């Protein structure tokens, strides 16, 4: 089954997306026949029914991945690179259709969905270039008695678990390096957005990926079906993107079989505007860091700090930008902000804003939302936020900019680091020494300096503290899927 570059309307296009489980190269229903509904967050309407994997299906997927592992590891780096490169080409060729599928299940405006398809494809291109560069080393022990030959081997069958907010890129960021390294996979996408992952599986098959290398098991029964396969002893690696809360549960399960893990978890990013900043740059960067993906990003600017002398001007310019945004169904022309993913997310954002207001916060600007039954929240800018407001201590995950004022560099660094998370921080300044000093002092894995976007396949993405373990992308991204093996050879 393949996705064609049809330019059909949403309903017809969605009817072409496979909705079964993908195991051992076959599309099939769940063993118990269960399915679940996928909703369009702009309307609340059902757009597809997808097979709902149970325990037996998950075990079948593990068996298929295990059966394919030896042959897959024996393929040449160039063979694996060529599959990734073909998949990259196909993703770009079909970007319009894939973007429409993504918008229909996730809500982001079509332009952002298309940007995500391109971003997702770039992981395949990047790792197609990394596959032929897997290398080792040759040396000698200091006494000269032994040769040391170091090789790199695929970790083995992997479990990949992704969230709904970037339905395609979070998948390719794991699948790309796993293919390049020669690992087979069981992939569990989020139940809100399985269609992008199923379309991706169809496209990878078309690109030549052998049966059993990638197995996709959408499910609403994650808690029930993942633990048995995590602890079953066959899977050798788990790569997770999602909340810190779920990450902790999976780390505990991984401990039982000493499984390798990569963890891309939540964030609480500080965004700092110093008084020497170029304000055009500051507003552009803050807007990008806040509004990408309707604020539903781990990298979202969660706490914005503006130095006192520029705070009012910066806030009013950001407020003008936010209040004028067009909110609506992301498939419609001109829409700049889509709905949140579901009712619980809408409830959470509303509750966080109410909590801040009850503690003295002030709304500087608020946009409009359509009355179409979707999960829309208006873009909002808040100031005068009390330190104990909950939105400073949890991910807002919505289009709400929380701006606080500070006086000194030392004060803002203490506030910025006062969190258990450490994914990314943003700094806007024209002072090079300050930029470097603050970047060194922030407890984060990534810093956006005079920019609101850090995500790039060529860079090592990841966090410190409770934002995760390991890195995705960059030169180190493939390392997460490789083991070292060393041969001791007596010198003869
Ligand atoms: P989530 O609730 O942690 O879910 C993530 C994935 O884990 C989903 O597929 C989910 O499926 C699954 N899951 C939940 N409980 C599980 C369990 N007990 N066993 C196995 N799988 C389980 O996160 P989300 O709401 O989808 O996504 C938002 C979070 O992801 C935010 O915290 C965000 O910061 C983070 N995120 C981080 C990055 C990064 O690179 N650091 C990137 C994007 C998002 P179910 O929904 O069926 O439970």
């Amino acid at each position: 089954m393949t996705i064609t570059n049809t330019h059909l309307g949403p309903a017809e296009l969605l009817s072409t997306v496979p909705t079964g489980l993908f195991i051992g190269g076959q599309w099939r229903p769940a063993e118990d026949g269960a399915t679940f509904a996928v909703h369009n967050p702009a309307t609340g309407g059902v757009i597809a029914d997808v097979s709902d994997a149970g325990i037996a299906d998950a075990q079948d997927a593990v068996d298929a991945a295990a059966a394919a592992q030896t042959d897959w590891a024996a393929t040449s780096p160039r063979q694996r690179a060529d599959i990734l490169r073909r998949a990259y080409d196909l993703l770009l060729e079909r970007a319009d259709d894939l973007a429409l599928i993504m918008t229909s299940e996730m809500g982001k405006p079509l332009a952002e969905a298309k940007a995500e398809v391109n971003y997702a494809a770039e992981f395949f291109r990047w790792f197609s270039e990394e596959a032929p560069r897997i290398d080792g080393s040759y040396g000698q022990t200091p006494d000269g008695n032994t040769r040391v030959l170091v090789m790199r081997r695929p970790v083995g069958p992997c479990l990949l678990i992704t969230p709904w907010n970037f339905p395609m890129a979070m998948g390719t960021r794991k699948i790309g390096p796993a293919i390049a390294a020669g690992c087979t996979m069981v992939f569990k996408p989020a139940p809100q957005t399985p269609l992008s992952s199923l379309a991706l599986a169809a496209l990878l098959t078309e690109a030549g990926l052998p049966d059993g290398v990638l197995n996709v098991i959408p499910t609403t029964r994650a808690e029930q079906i993942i633990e048995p396969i995590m602890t079953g002893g066959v899977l050798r690696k788990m790569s997770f993107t999602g909340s810190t809360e779920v990450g902790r549960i999976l780390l505990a399960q991984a401990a039982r079989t000493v499984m390798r893990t990569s963890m891309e978890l939540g964030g609480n990013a500080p965004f700092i505007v110093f008084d020497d900043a170029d304000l055009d740059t500051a507003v552009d960067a803050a807007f990008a860091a806040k509004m990408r993906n309707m604020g539903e990003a781990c990298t979202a600017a969660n706490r914005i700090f503006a130095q006192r002398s520029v705070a009012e001007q910066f806030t009013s310019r950001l407020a003008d930008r936010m209040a004028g945004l067009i909110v609506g169904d992301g498939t419609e022309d001109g829409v700049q902000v889509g709905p949140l993913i579901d009712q619980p997310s809408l409830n959470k954002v509303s509750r966080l804003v109410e909590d801040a207001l009850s503690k003295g916060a002030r709304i500087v600007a608020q946009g409009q939302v359509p009355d179409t039954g979707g999960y829309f929240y208006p873009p909002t800018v808040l100031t005068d936020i009390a330190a104990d407001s909950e939105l400073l201590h949890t991910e807002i995950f919505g289009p709400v900019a929380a701006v606080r004022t500070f006086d000194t560099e030392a004060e803002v660094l203490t506030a910025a680091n006062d969190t258990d998370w450490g994914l990314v921080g943003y700094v806007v300044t024209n002072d090079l020494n300050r930029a470097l000093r603050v970047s060194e002092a922030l407890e984060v894995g990534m810093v956006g300096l005079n920019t609101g976007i850090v995500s790039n396949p060529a860079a090592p993405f990841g966090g410190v503290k409770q934002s995760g373990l390991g890195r995705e992308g960059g030169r180190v991204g493939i390392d997460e899927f490789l083991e070292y093996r060393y041969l001791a050879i007596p010198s003869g």
Side-chain angles (χ1 to χ4, degrees):
M1 214 175 298
T2 59
I3 305 298
T4 51
N5 196 15
T6 58
H7 296 289
L8 293 168
E12 288 155 296
L13 177 64
L14 288 166
S15 72
T16 69
V17 181
T19 54
L21 311 177
F22 185 61
I23 298 176
Q26 303 295 317
W27 294 99
R28 54 168 248 202
E31 201 194 40
D32 61 6
T35 61
F36 66 93
V38 181
H39 295 89
N40 179 344
T43 61
V46 174
I47 55 170
D49 281 304
V50 168
S51 296
D52 191 354
I55 290 180
D57 304 304
Q59 191 54 54
D60 286 350
V62 171
D63 292 346
Q69 180 59 61
T70 304
D71 285 351
W72 180 237
T75 54
S76 72
R78 182 66 74 201
Q79 271 174 283
R80 302 195 297 273
D82 285 347
I83 292 169
L84 283 171
R85 179 64 203 211
R86 277 196 293 276
Y88 162 78
D89 289 336
L90 289 171
L91 276 166
L92 293 194
E93 271 171 29
R94 293 157 194 196
D96 288 337
D97 281 1
L98 293 166
L100 184 52
I101 292 166
M102 191 189 298
T103 295
S104 303
E105 65 177 351
M106 190 276 166
K108 66 182 75 184
L110 269 179
E112 279 198 63
K114 193 161 174 190
E116 184 181 335
V117 175
N118 284 313
Y119 172 52
E122 286 297 339
F123 284 104
F124 283 173
R125 178 155 71 158
W126 177 263
F127 286 106
S128 77
E129 291 157 352
E130 289 295 280
R133 304 203 190 325
I134 298 168
D135 57 10
S137 65
Y138 177 85
Q140 254 192 335
T141 53
D143 61 13
N145 290 336
T146 308
R147 300 180 183 101
V148 177
L149 181 66
V150 180
M151 62 175 78
R152 321 231 25 219
R153 302 294 304 156
V155 173
C158 301
L159 174 62
L160 315 179
I161 301 179
T162 55
W164 48 264
N165 62 342
F166 291 95
M168 191 159 282
M170 296 304 93
T172 61
R173 203 163 75 169
K174 299 180 189 308
I175 294 168
I179 289 179
C183 295
T184 60
M185 295 154 271
V186 175
F187 174 27
K188 191 210 88 61
Q192 295 93 334
T193 56
L195 301 175
S196 296
S197 304
L198 294 168
L200 186 64
L203 185 142
L204 277 161
T205 304
E206 198 179 333
L209 195 69
D211 293 351
V213 174
L214 175 68
N215 305 278
V216 188
I217 50 166
T219 183
T220 60
R221 305 180 256 186
E223 215 177 314
Q224 204 186 327
I225 75 166
I226 296 299
E227 187 171 6
I229 62 172
M230 279 285 292
T231 54
V234 175
L235 296 170
R236 294 311 315 144
K237 154 97 193 174
M238 196 265 301
S239 177
F240 173 72
T241 299
S243 63
T244 299
E245 196 186 359
V246 174
R248 281 193 206 102
I249 295 169
L250 293 169
L251 277 170
Q253 291 174 9
R256 282 157 57 189
T257 55
V258 193
M259 185 188 285
R260 264 184 79 174
T261 59
S262 305
M263 291 280 162
E264 296 289 348
L265 308 178
N268 184 6
F271 185 104
I272 307 171
V273 183
F274 284 102
D275 57 9
D276 57 53
D278 174 78
L279 277 195
D280 288 337
T281 303
V283 173
D284 284 350
F287 181 78
K290 181 74 252 176
M291 291 307 294
R292 179 174 180 227
N293 225 38
M294 291 83 75
E296 294 173 312
C298 53
T299 50
N302 210 58
R303 297 168 295 152
I304 300 176
F305 299 97
Q307 202 156 14
R308 194 167 302 278
S309 64
V310 294
E312 202 175 322
Q313 210 192 339
F314 165 78
T315 308
S316 95
R317 288 175 61 179
L318 181 63
D320 288 347
R321 189 93 169 255
M322 299 267 291
L325 291 169
I326 298 168
V327 181
D329 183 331
T331 60
E332 287 171 13
D333 281 347
V335 166
Q336 295 163 295
V337 182
L340 299 181
I341 188 69
D342 53 21
Q343 189 65 48
S345 296
L346 181 58
N347 294 347
K348 179 186 169 190
V349 175
S350 308
R351 182 175 55 74
L352 290 175
V353 172
E354 287 307 316
D355 170 72
L357 294 175
S358 74
K359 290 171 179 156
R362 195 163 52 84
I363 294 180
V364 187
Q366 192 156 48
Q368 306 285 324
V369 295
D371 184 15
T372 55
Y375 311 117
F376 298 102
Y377 194 85
T380 302
V381 179
L382 296 176
T383 54
D384 301 335
I385 300 158
D388 63 345
S389 301
E390 202 190 333
L391 53 61
L392 300 176
H393 306 283
T394 191
E395 291 183 289
I396 301 171
F397 246 57
V400 177
V403 187
R404 301 191 80 202
T405 304
F406 71 93
D407 289 299
T408 67
E409 187 179 305
E411 175 198 343
V412 79
L413 276 171
T414 302
N417 287 335
D418 182 21
T419 169
D420 289 335
W421 283 294
L423 189 62
V424 57
Y426 302 91
V427 182
V428 191
T429 176
N430 274 333
D431 176 337
L432 179 61
N433 281 326
R434 170 179 269 163
L436 296 177
R437 198 167 58 232
V438 171
S439 299
E440 285 161 4
L442 283 173
E443 296 167 356
V444 292
M446 304 175 284
V447 176
L449 179 57
N450 296 328
T451 177
I453 302 283
V454 292
S455 306
N456 193 303
F461 188 104
V464 300
K465 296 162 86 175
Q466 294 191 30
S467 285
L469 301 166
R471 293 293 180 270
E472 291 190 322
R475 293 300 310 275
V476 297
I478 198 167
D479 294 349
E480 304 282 339
F481 293 87
L482 292 168
E483 294 283 15
Y484 287 100
R485 182 175 302 163
Y486 124 74
L487 269 65
I489 310 164
S491 302

